[in-house]
Amino acid sequence: MVVDDEEKANILNTFFSTVFTVENEMLGEIPRNNENPILRVTNLTQEEVRNRLNKIKIDKSPGPDGIHPRVLRELSNVIDKPLFLIFSDSIATGSVPQDWRIANVVPIFKKGSKSEPGNYRPDENMINFIKGGMKVRSSYVIYRELNNFIQSNGFRKGESHAHLQGGISLGIGAFNLSGCVGFVVFIVLFLLLLLLEELYPQEYGLSQLQEGATSSNLRSLLCTMLLLCYYTFLSFILGIGEEDVREADSLLQPYLSRYPKSAIFLFFAGRIEEIKGNIDQAIHWYEAGCSAQQSWKQFHHMCYWELMWCFAYKGMWKMAYFYADLLSKENRWSKAMYMYMKAAFLSMLPPDEPRPFDESEVELFRLVPSLKQKIAGKSPPTEKYVIRKARRYQAKDPVCLPVPALEMMYLWNGFSVIGKDVQLTEDALTTICAAENRLLQGPANDYQDDDRCSILLLKGLCLKHRGKLTQAEQCFTDIYQSEKKIKYDHHLVPNSLLELSLLYMQQRRGEDAIPFLRRAKNNYKNYSMESRTLFRVHAALSKLKAPDSEENSTDGASVS
């Protein structure tokens, strides 16, 4: 039996090292074409480093350096500059300081004899993250080297070149799109940059996927599918609401004509019509997609989710409730979200209207916190949001949310959909104004200012889409001027600044929009759905061709 601590550590280290595999060098030295687009990284700022330090959890143990997290947080204003210089140099040179490659691996006993190394496991969270990152890096390096190889002077095209080119375009394009969403969590991006070494521009990734999708090769279908996902989901939900789906439509139509009963292409057809604001056509395509196959139930759930929102756009709250109820019973992705949506749709009905199955929205809201789940050790941001919003119903006489279904619609960028239909916009505005009147006539309560600002945000969006820009601007301005009155819904202020900026951009007032976008990005932290807001802020700044911070600005910006 081993009693010496150092010898124990060596034995466990030898065993734990077996969880890693040595990757074979699949590619040798390949000639490089220096004219290829180089990998670019988002500029790192000293302020971003300081913000990361201020968010360190101080209840964690020190790492191998022995520095307690509380020290790092308390001295953030002192150490942000040297750390910024180290990070910048590390990214620029592609190397990591030797001390940063050391980690504490804690053996966790599983079961059986404590004298057997195999009965212990390392803390797998970091190890699995590193292993996954190494595999991603390895895959990326292969695609990158192949791309350089086929563009080198010594490469000769064979009979299957189109298929090889298609596979490489798919890989390069997919990796580059994965990096297009910008800088959200500094430490995650930093690790990804170290693992991937570099990132191509987003435009290059899109061009590679376009090339793969439009040429005749084995991977053209996969390139098309990835582009459809990008245009109809990623760029729409995390964009600024001005996405043009004509490119997606042109990619889809040849496949839809060739495979008219393909469930996945019917689904994308519905998604495109939904984004266009053609809700009835979207419902038709989604229902056709459900009828096209019965074996893949998860695909039905995707259609149910979209059908739920389509009927919500139309104000058909019972139909929206029906699909939320189906999801709550059949799908396990987020029981808390589905329960919240059921309650939200019921709460939009008149008080005296009978509820389906005699369900009570108050009781459904009260169930939401009990359905919380964790994915990879963390709760999804959407679950955190609905659980926080539902907490007010735990009181004996709860203060009801004014328009919870429309609040959730905003988080999924649904107002960009109804804004394309005059009648849908007018109906939503009527619902919001009625809720505003009830709030003004009701008794004062602890949530009054938050609810008023929530209504103003949604009202401003409807007014913007109705062309009443001055009134919309006043709504957004009232929200950020009420910042000190807001007690719970702190996400409203940065989102009002974002929407005000988008309003200015619509009026071609890019110079007026930029300060509000930077304020939304830099002045607010730790609010609900923060990542989504930051993605949209980044998209707006990119459209204006403006840097994220004023200190990096060298010239004016204009709406492109």
Side-chain angles (χ1 to χ4, degrees), residues 170-312:
L170 172 65
I172 291 291
F175 272 108
N176 297 337
L177 282 190
S178 69
C180 76
V181 292
F183 184 96
V184 179
V185 181
F186 164 75
I187 200 67
V188 172
L189 176 61
F190 183 67
L191 288 170
L192 285 175
L193 289 172
L194 295 179
L195 292 170
L196 297 181
E197 295 182 343
E198 39 196 8
L199 290 174
Y200 280 105
Q202 175 190 352
E203 294 78 11
Y204 183 69
L206 287 172
S207 68
Q208 286 291 297
L209 286 175
Q210 288 284 0
E211 181 179 338
T214 54
S215 59
S216 179
N217 65 83
L218 292 172
R219 281 89 175 182
S220 60
L221 175 59
L222 294 176
C223 290
T224 299
M225 298 282 280
L226 193 54
L227 282 170
L228 288 173
C229 289
Y230 173 77
Y231 287 126
T232 61
F233 284 99
L234 181 64
S235 65
F236 176 77
I237 295 175
L238 301 180
I240 57 177
E242 298 180 357
E243 286 64 38
D244 190 344
V245 291
R246 286 179 296 181
E247 185 65 39
D249 211 359
S250 65
L251 287 168
L252 175 65
Q253 287 308 317
Y255 286 98
L256 192 58
S257 299
R258 193 181 311 170
Y259 309 108
K261 294 185 178 180
S262 167
I264 192 67
F265 292 135
L266 291 170
F267 175 81
F268 278 119
R271 184 66 187 163
I272 289 171
E273 292 301 325
E274 183 182 342
I275 294 174
K276 289 179 180 178
N278 302 326
I279 307 304
D280 290 333
Q281 292 93 321
I283 292 174
H284 164 75
W285 288 118
Y286 290 136
E287 290 177 342
C290 288
S291 302
Q293 61 85 37
Q294 301 299 323
S295 56
W296 187 20
K297 203 64 179 176
Q298 290 82 355
F299 177 79
H300 285 187
H301 299 160
M302 293 167 55
C303 292
Y304 293 166
W305 176 262
E306 298 300 332
L307 284 165
M308 179 189 79
W309 284 116
C310 285
F311 285 110

Side-chain angles (χ1 to χ4, degrees), residues 309-512:
W309 284 116
C310 285
F311 285 110
Y313 298 147
K314 294 166 68 70
M316 300 174 66
W317 306 118
K318 285 187 177 180
M319 286 297 297
Y321 162 88
F322 169 75
Y323 284 105
D325 186 55
L326 279 177
L327 287 168
S328 70
K329 294 173 179 176
E330 298 181 12
N331 189 271
R332 293 180 294 177
W333 171 67
S334 177
K335 295 287 188 180
M337 168 65 75
Y338 301 143
M339 189 65 67
Y340 185 89
M341 295 313 305
K342 286 177 59 177
F345 294 135
L346 290 183
S347 68
M348 301 297 292
L349 298 173
D352 57 347
E353 185 168 338
R355 270 48 177 167
F357 310 116
D358 292 326
E359 288 199 294
S360 163
E361 55 263 39
V362 173
E363 294 304 319
L364 293 178
F365 276 125
R366 287 173 176 170
L367 287 174
V368 172
S370 66
L371 299 173
K372 180 180 179 180
Q373 65 178 2
K374 291 188 176 182
I375 300 175
K378 292 188 176 292
S379 297
T382 49
E383 278 204 359
K384 290 181 180 179
Y385 175 84
V386 298
I387 289 171
R388 182 182 63 78
K389 296 290 285 187
R391 282 200 189 106
R392 64 164 71 182
Y393 287 89
Q394 300 300 323
K396 182 179 179 181
D397 297 311
V399 177
C400 295
L401 291 161
V403 280
L406 297 182
E407 287 180 316
M408 289 301 299
M409 189 183 294
Y410 170 71
L411 293 181
W412 293 98
N413 218 8
F415 278 81
S416 295
V417 174
I418 63 174
K420 298 180 176 70
D421 186 293
V422 174
Q423 189 58 53
L424 294 182
T425 306
E426 197 63 43
D427 291 344
L429 183 58
T430 300
T431 301
I432 293 166
C433 289
E436 184 179 34
N437 290 333
R438 289 195 300 271
L439 185 66
L440 293 174
Q441 295 170 8
N445 61 74
D446 202 35
Y447 298 95
Q448 191 166 25
D449 291 315
D450 296 64
D451 289 343
R452 181 182 67 85
C453 289
S454 180
I455 289 173
L456 284 174
L457 179 64
L458 305 179
K459 183 179 179 180
L461 290 168
C462 290
L463 291 170
K464 182 182 79 168
H465 289 303
R466 294 293 289 117
K468 301 177 181 180
L469 305 187
T470 302
Q471 292 174 267
E473 180 178 354
Q474 187 59 53
C475 288
F476 301 141
T477 302
D478 285 349
I479 297 170
Y480 78 76
Q481 288 180 345
S482 302
E483 178 178 355
K484 293 183 179 180
K485 298 180 181 179
I486 294 176
K487 299 177 181 178
Y488 307 101
D489 295 329
H490 301 291
H491 66 286
L492 292 171
V493 178
N495 277 283
S496 68
L497 294 171
L498 168 61
E499 297 301 340
L500 181 61
S501 302
L502 297 180
L503 180 67
Y504 288 155
M505 290 170 63
Q506 181 179 326
Q507 298 172 299
R508 305 194 66 79
R509 295 166 57 187
E511 291 292 344
D512 294 329

Side-chain angles (χ1 to χ4, degrees), residues 16 25 27 77 153 220 449 501:
F16 290 159
E25 292 295 333
L27 299 173
N77 292 330
N153 295 330
S220 60
D449 291 315
S501 302

